[in-house]
Amino acid sequence: MLSRNSKLLLTKIFSFFSVVRGYNVFVIALAQYLSAIYILAPERRALDVILDWRLFILVIASTFAIASGYIINNFYDAKKDIINRPKKSYLDRLVSQKTQLQVYFTLNFFSALLGFIISWRAALFYSVYIFIIWFYSHKLKKYPIIGNLTASFLAVLPFFGILMYFKNFYHVIFAHAIFLFLIILIREMVKDLENIEGDLSNNYQTIPVNYGENFSKKIISLLLLSTLLPVYFLINVYDVGYMDVYFYASYILLIIFVLKLWKSEGKVDYIKLHFLLKIILLAGVICIVLIKPTVIENGQKLLLIR
């Protein structure tokens, strides 16, 4: 049986995992590797990509920067999260803000340092990325439209860091990026609907606060419609292997999403819609392997060789 100190330590570890959104950070790191193997460097052997130490350092630098971003975002959102997410807010406060800020600066330092190991350009990239995250958390997220756009841009920016490393600028990459950007932008706007009470109490000038829920739903519906363009190119113009199955399935879910959106009237409904978008994004990460399933098959054969 665990002692009281052991239980307290485990609770604080779990609390810190909640602060840095450990699950999200892991998924983003996985997405970067799968993107590198199947989209950004398809001409290279998968094993060579996995064993590329420079790519590993870039992914670790990204995870440090993203984790620190969640910390600083949590720091500035502390007051509104008491209203919007009382249970999570209580869990997050088990780790003091002083400790969180110490870890924040440490992660930022190592993110830039790891980037410098690759090149001064990589160090500059992560330094600018860290600054934009801070500026977004401190200022930009309180304003409508620009806050949503910046949050979505920050979510896809780490992938462009990997893109610059491989120096592959295929059109299909940008079609994937646009689809991802639009889905994340829709998710950010749903989060604004979900958090309207706390945003209103803390003077966050989001779209639903300034213009109302119906106007926000119209913008979300328009953004959802605009995803048809990158999906059309990904299915009909570019070769994405069996991943077209994902795009067909995701659009069925997005149609369900928009129908539910217009029937939603409260926080519980918006939380469900937010969860549905998370499923679509997670499925998108996993389904990257469908672009070229033979990579997995060849990998299995390689592991079986004695």
Side-chain angles (χ1 to χ4, degrees), residues 186-244:
I186 292 170
R187 189 191 67 169
E188 290 299 320
M189 296 192 68
V190 170
K191 282 169 64 177
D192 285 345
L193 287 168
E194 177 186 334
N195 298 331
I196 190 170
E197 186 179 349
D199 290 342
L200 187 61
S201 300
N202 289 275
N203 200 33
Y204 278 56
Q205 302 301 310
T206 61
I207 292 175
V209 168
N210 279 9
Y211 307 106
E213 292 185 41
N214 279 343
F215 182 79
S216 188
K217 289 178 181 180
K218 289 177 183 177
I219 298 296
I220 291 171
S221 301
L222 184 62
L223 288 171
L224 193 148
L225 187 63
S226 66
T227 61
L228 281 170
L229 185 61
V231 167
Y232 170 81
F233 278 94
L234 287 166
I235 291 176
N236 296 292
V237 178
Y238 304 120
D239 181 15
V240 293
Y242 294 104
M243 197 178 178
D244 55 0

Side-chain angles (χ1 to χ4, degrees), residues 70-166:
Y70 282 125
I71 293 173
I72 200 65
N73 191 62
N74 185 76
F75 175 80
Y76 284 114
D77 282 353
K79 289 183 179 178
K80 78 164 190 170
D81 282 345
I82 294 174
I83 299 172
N84 291 329
R85 301 179 180 88
K87 291 181 180 179
K88 185 181 184 305
S89 179
Y90 172 77
L91 179 63
D92 292 350
R93 289 200 304 270
L94 293 177
V95 176
S96 69
Q97 287 193 335
K98 180 182 177 181
T99 300
Q100 290 183 30
L101 289 176
Q102 287 173 340
V103 175
Y104 166 74
F105 287 112
T106 302
L107 289 174
N108 285 341
F109 171 77
F110 280 107
S111 178
L113 181 63
L114 288 171
F116 191 75
I117 291 173
I118 304 301
S119 70
W120 67 267
R121 292 181 181 85
L124 179 62
F125 173 85
Y126 287 111
S127 297
V128 171
Y129 181 58
I130 289 164
F131 172 77
I132 297 173
I133 291 176
W134 169 80
F135 191 60
Y136 160 76
S137 301
H138 181 52
K139 290 287 186 183
L140 296 182
K141 76 176 304 180
K142 295 183 179 182
Y143 299 102
I145 303 174
I146 189 171
N148 302 107
L149 290 171
T150 305
S152 305
F153 173 71
L154 288 169
V156 300
L157 196 57
F159 295 93
F160 281 94
I162 306 299
L163 170 65
M164 296 300 293
Y165 170 66
F166 286 111

